Amino acid sequence: MQSSKHYGFAGALALLCGVAQAASEPAPALAARLADFDGWAAQRMATQRLPGVTVGFSQGDVEWVKGYGYADLENRVPATARSSYRLASVTKPMTAVAILQLVEQGKVDLDAPVQTYVPYFPVKPFPVTVRQLLGHLGGIDAYRNSQVEQHFKEHKDTRQSIAVFEQFDLIAEPGTRFRYTSYGYNLLGAVIEGASGESYGGYMRRHVWGPLGMDATVLDDPDAVIAHRVRGYRLAGKELKNSEFVDISSRFSAGGTRASVPDMLAFGRGVHAGKILSAASVAAMVQPMATRAGRLTHYGMGWEIFPTGGRYAIAHSGQQPETVTYLYSFPSRKLTIAVAANLERVNPEAFVQRLFEVVTGEPWQLKTYIADAGAQRAYQVAQGLFEEGRAHAERTHEPYADAAATRLAFTQINGQALAPDATVARPFIEAARHPAGGRVFLAAGASMAEALRQSGIDLDTYSRGGALAFARDYVLLSRSKAAGTLPRFDPAFEQAIVALAASWDRTSAIAWPAAPAPASASIAAIDRQLRAAFHGQRAYPDFVPELQELAQASAGRGEAESALAASRLAVELYPLSDRAHALQGLTLLGAGKREPALAALRLALARDPLGAASPAALNLEAYRLKGSGAVAQGMAVLQAAASLHPRDANLQDSLAEFYVEQGLRPQAVAAYRQALQLDPRYPGAVGARAAIIRLGGETKALAP
């Protein structure tokens, strides 16, 4: 089949009009949908204050890439398909591919200590293997003094880059803790050099980038003339500023590259096509690793791996000064989507999601709210079975478990996940995806998917029906078979699923209303439409994310009352949702109403202790606010989070970082000390001790 490529750019932020740069147009139906994508992109860029973004997809022999906005605001240089962005951590899967090539050549042993190939790296109390480094399980720490380590101005070679962290103690025995770290991938770059006898950049050009036609991919160098180099920006409050100059050579094999979106697509396409790795190596690379305690990390060798809407997907994001990037690949569909933008600390995933929907006609992720408290656990089980089972079926036609193991999984789900006692059910459901929990959702879900496929059902139909349709159809199928033919679920679960699926059939097509401006009128219109549509239903679409965007946009415009109205509506429509209560709490916090905010966040915690009001979620929100320029609001979120989670060391560490950036040294020292008192061995403990000394705090009693 003849390859069809379309590259274009769109100009001003307010007026995005595509201009073809090369090759033929996509098919007419897809071209029409892509034209609608232009309007969505303009709106999204305005909301996120994005100066420039390039986004594209590759599926089979068809490729489409388009730039929007500006690669350089000052000189009005448009973003195009050829724009060269810093890739940041999207470099990591490329490094992983190079390691696996060397394994295939017999030059690297995945289970050998890293000193086999990097003899100058100091020996640690435990051996650190290449395999562990690939999965961020090697005990290697991340940045300890971010004020220094993330702001290097001088160019560094490999030896100098390793010297930055080589004396750091391990944060844990390798294999016991997942710690995402660029330093571990820098070590892998040194492994490539030691095993191949070539420089990292030379090896990548000869064996990875070159064979895949990635002619625009280079190691970033401020002194080099790099064609179509994009200029980076950051938000300071509501004002766009140029990014701080940071030489990223110290992150060479972890995040030191620069490339175009077509090169990102070529990499994703080349990996799942097996162009530069054997099928066995690709299979190993995309297998999620687990800690020694049997907890999945959802990271393989250089790739994030997690079922997406019941689909098999691999991905990696990137973020650093000047850039954010995302590379998503659906290998079974031969579909790769990539996005790169030149504004720091924004989430570009929405571009991937929207383009996926445009290309496939499928929703990215069905968002279902269960209004019946008694049936919520049944839905959680159905969702776990669907995500794991359908993704496995999309990845392979091979069974996951034998018949005996499958029946055992059903027995365990019936006896524990669906047990009347929630204190038994909750931890079982939380562990059911992991090896420590027997991966029972995968064992049972994969058998369900195969039974449905053999009955003649196209599993792609569940992109719209989702977990409830998947579980309902299996229930009906198993009921229609002779006793013992297919494993059965508990009768109460079956009844709940059938009822929920019937309600979902009635509501799933309801779309987010196209509401008028201003925001106050929008919220009133949304309220009227959705209350009427959802009345009396047990399952209906969850629009909390849309209400969150509405609240955040209103708050960003200084419309506090509209933001609060959006958050109130979220709670009224979705009273059982932890995210709705967390949204209300955060909006109240932004309005300066601390006590009501804490009450709302406590309600969110009661709904789901691991959800939107968890320490990790609130910490992420604080940094999102900080990245958007709302530093004081981010601080307020961290202070509220520390009040809700007084035993969490990482929240205190984050508070200390905020204090440091605001020049509040005594408060920073106190927060670091509190973190160390709570957990002397938390992942940032060594960096905290160094920070206390650097900030002039007393050095005694700082030993672990």
Side-chain angles (χ1 to χ4, degrees):
M1 181 181 295
Q2 184 178 1
S3 175
S4 173
K5 295 187 179 182
H6 180 76
Y7 295 161
F9 74 84
L13 296 178
L15 181 61
L16 299 178
C17 54
V19 179
Q21 288 187 319
S24 58
E25 297 282 346
L30 178 56
R33 297 198 299 272
L34 289 168
D36 291 337
F37 179 80
D38 286 351
W40 177 90
Q43 184 178 33
R44 187 74 186 182
M45 291 179 72
T47 299
Q48 292 191 303
R49 301 289 310 280
L50 282 174
V53 63
T54 301
V55 61
F57 77 90
S58 168
Q59 186 168 40
D61 295 319
V62 177
E63 183 173 305
W64 175 92
V65 182
K66 196 166 188 178
Y68 299 90
Y70 292 105
D72 181 338
L73 277 173
E74 291 180 349
N75 297 297
R76 288 296 189 262
V77 177
T80 72
R82 291 192 290 268
S83 294
S84 177
Y85 296 84
R86 283 182 167 178
L87 289 187
S89 289
V90 172
T91 307
K92 289 181 173 70
M94 299 177 187
T95 295
V97 164
I99 290 287
L100 289 170
Q101 285 181 336
L102 292 167
V103 171
E104 290 181 358
Q105 298 166 23
K107 295 180 178 179
V108 168
D109 178 352
L110 288 177
D111 297 310
V114 67
Q115 289 82 6
T116 306
Y117 314 101
V118 191
Y120 56 81
F121 187 71
V123 174
K124 304 298 180 181
F126 302 96
V128 178
T129 69
V130 176
R131 187 189 304 274
Q132 290 164 341
L133 291 174
L134 285 165
H136 299 288
L137 288 168
I140 303 295
D141 206 352
Y143 303 117
R144 290 189 175 177
N145 183 355
S146 59
Q147 295 299 304
V148 173
E149 296 165 46
Q150 292 186 296
H151 300 272
F152 289 129
K153 309 299 182 188
E154 69 280 3
H155 210 66
K156 293 185 183 294
D157 60 23
T158 299
R159 186 66 190 89
Q160 292 167 330
S161 299
I162 302 301
V164 171
F165 65 93
E166 64 183 9
Q167 297 302 327
F168 289 3
D169 293 334
L170 298 182
I171 61 165
E173 182 180 348
T176 64
R177 179 187 290 179
F178 177 84
R179 171 67 157 164
Y180 182 85
T181 166
S182 287
Y183 289 152
Y185 265 73
N186 276 358
L187 261 181
L188 290 171
V191 168
I192 290 168
E193 294 188 345
S196 70
E198 300 182 60
S199 69
Y200 173 79
Y203 182 91
M204 298 301 288
R205 282 190 296 273
R206 283 167 48 83
H207 302 283
V208 179
W209 303 332
L212 292 179
M214 298 168 61
D215 297 331
T217 305
V218 296
L219 284 171
D220 196 34
D221 184 345
D223 289 334
V225 176
I226 298 176
H228 310 292
R229 186 196 293 264
V230 168
R231 189 164 188 168
Y233 301 92
R234 58 186 171 86
L235 274 173
K238 296 182 179 181
E239 188 176 357
L240 280 171
K241 299 280 190 179
N242 288 318
S243 292
E244 173 195 0
F245 167 69
V246 176
D247 188 306
I248 59 171
S249 56
S250 65
R251 316 175 194 190
F252 68 114
S253 53
T257 55
R258 185 178 284 276
S260 65
V261 165
D263 273 20
M264 294 170 70
L265 296 175
F267 177 72
R269 183 170 60 245
V271 168
H272 62 60
K275 290 184 177 180
I276 51 176
L277 281 179
S278 68
S281 291
V282 171
M285 183 171 59
V286 299
Q287 182 65 36
M289 292 191 185
T291 65
R292 195 177 301 167
R295 303 290 298 183
L296 286 178
T297 63
H298 303 299
Y299 198 98
M301 298 181 185
W303 291 97
E304 302 159 359
I305 301 161
F306 200 86
T308 303
R311 306 175 188 93
Y312 163 47
I314 58 176
H316 214 293
S317 60
Q319 182 178 141
Q320 64 186 198
E322 300 186 19
T323 195
V324 290
T325 54
Y326 222 123
L327 177 63
Y328 238 103
S329 185
F330 299 85
S332 301
R333 297 165 177 244
K334 296 183 172 59
L335 172 62
T336 299
I337 301 174
V339 59
N342 60 349
L343 179 64
E344 299 172 12
R345 294 189 177 278
V346 294
N347 185 356
E349 189 174 8
F351 285 87
V352 173
Q353 295 176 3
R354 184 71 171 191
L355 188 55
F356 174 89
E357 293 175 343
V358 167
V359 172
T360 66
E362 300 175 5
W364 173 264
Q365 188 87 273
L366 291 177
K367 297 172 291 186
T368 307
Y369 174 73
I370 306 302
D372 181 345
Q376 284 199 323
R377 196 190 312 160
Y379 178 73
Q380 289 173 349
V381 171
Q383 183 72 6
L385 292 165
F386 169 65
E387 289 280 358
E388 297 290 337
R390 183 176 175 240
H392 178 82
E394 185 166 290
R395 179 175 177 176
T396 176
H397 288 270
E398 299 296 323
Y400 173 73
D402 60 26
T406 296
R407 291 185 183 276
L408 175 61
F410 274 81
T411 300
Q412 291 174 315
I413 291 169
N414 287 331
Q416 297 180 66
L418 304 174
D421 186 352
T423 61
V424 173
R426 177 172 280 175
F428 180 86
I429 292 172
E430 198 275 326
R433 293 178 184 262
H434 300 274
R439 300 211 72 178
V440 295
F441 279 165
L442 177 54
S447 72
M448 293 167 66
E450 185 57 27
L452 291 168
R453 183 158 54 191
Q454 289 185 8
S455 74
I457 293 177
D458 182 355
L459 296 180
D460 285 348
T461 62
Y462 296 119
S463 295
R464 295 191 174 278
L468 289 174
F470 177 82
R472 185 264 319 277
D473 289 354
Y474 180 82
V475 165
L476 298 179
L477 178 65
S478 64
R479 285 176 176 177
S480 71
K481 300 292 185 180
T485 304
L486 289 175
R488 292 282 300 273
F489 288 108
D490 178 86
F493 172 80
E494 293 186 349
Q495 292 168 11
I497 288 298
V498 170
L500 290 173
S503 183
W504 180 243
D505 286 344
R506 292 189 290 271
T507 64
S508 60
I510 296 171
W512 174 247
S520 56
S522 298
I523 295 164
I526 291 166
D527 191 339
R528 288 191 299 271
Q529 292 181 57
L530 295 186
R531 282 184 194 277
F534 297 163
H535 180 70
Q537 296 299 329
R538 302 177 69 189
Y540 49 82
D542 183 348
F543 293 130
V544 172
E546 286 80 359
L547 286 164
Q548 180 177 346
E549 282 202 9
L550 187 58
Q552 290 175 350
S554 296
R557 293 191 298 267
E559 300 168 2
E561 285 305 315
S562 294
L564 288 169
S567 71
R568 282 195 300 271
L569 179 57
V571 169
E572 290 167 5
L573 289 174
Y574 306 102
L576 300 177
S577 167
D578 67 294
R579 292 182 301 166
H581 288 283
L583 170 60
Q584 185 172 53
L586 292 167
T587 308
L588 286 165
L589 205 58
K593 303 175 186 293
R594 178 178 167 82
E595 292 309 314
L598 288 173
L601 290 170
R602 288 189 187 99
L603 280 174
L605 271 178
R607 299 289 187 272
D608 185 356
L610 301 176
S614 67
L618 293 175
N619 192 64
L620 187 65
E621 173 64 11
Y623 278 94
R624 183 195 70 80
L625 287 165
K626 178 173 172 285
S628 68
V631 179
Q633 290 182 40
M635 175 71 77
V637 170
L638 279 178
Q639 290 168 336
S643 175
L644 290 168
H645 305 284
R647 304 298 303 168
D648 191 276
N650 187 62
L651 288 174
Q652 294 294 331
D653 188 279
S654 295
L655 266 172
E657 285 192 13
F658 274 59
Y659 286 136
V660 167
E661 292 194 12
Q662 295 179 70
L664 302 172
R665 289 190 165 202
Q667 294 92 327
V669 169
Y672 277 129
R673 283 181 172 157
Q674 179 67 12
L676 291 167
Q677 183 177 344
L678 290 170
D679 182 359
R681 298 186 180 278
Y682 80 97
V686 175
R689 293 186 186 95
I692 291 173
I693 297 170
R694 188 174 65 252
L695 294 169
E698 295 180 8
T699 59
K700 61 183 179 181
L702 294 180

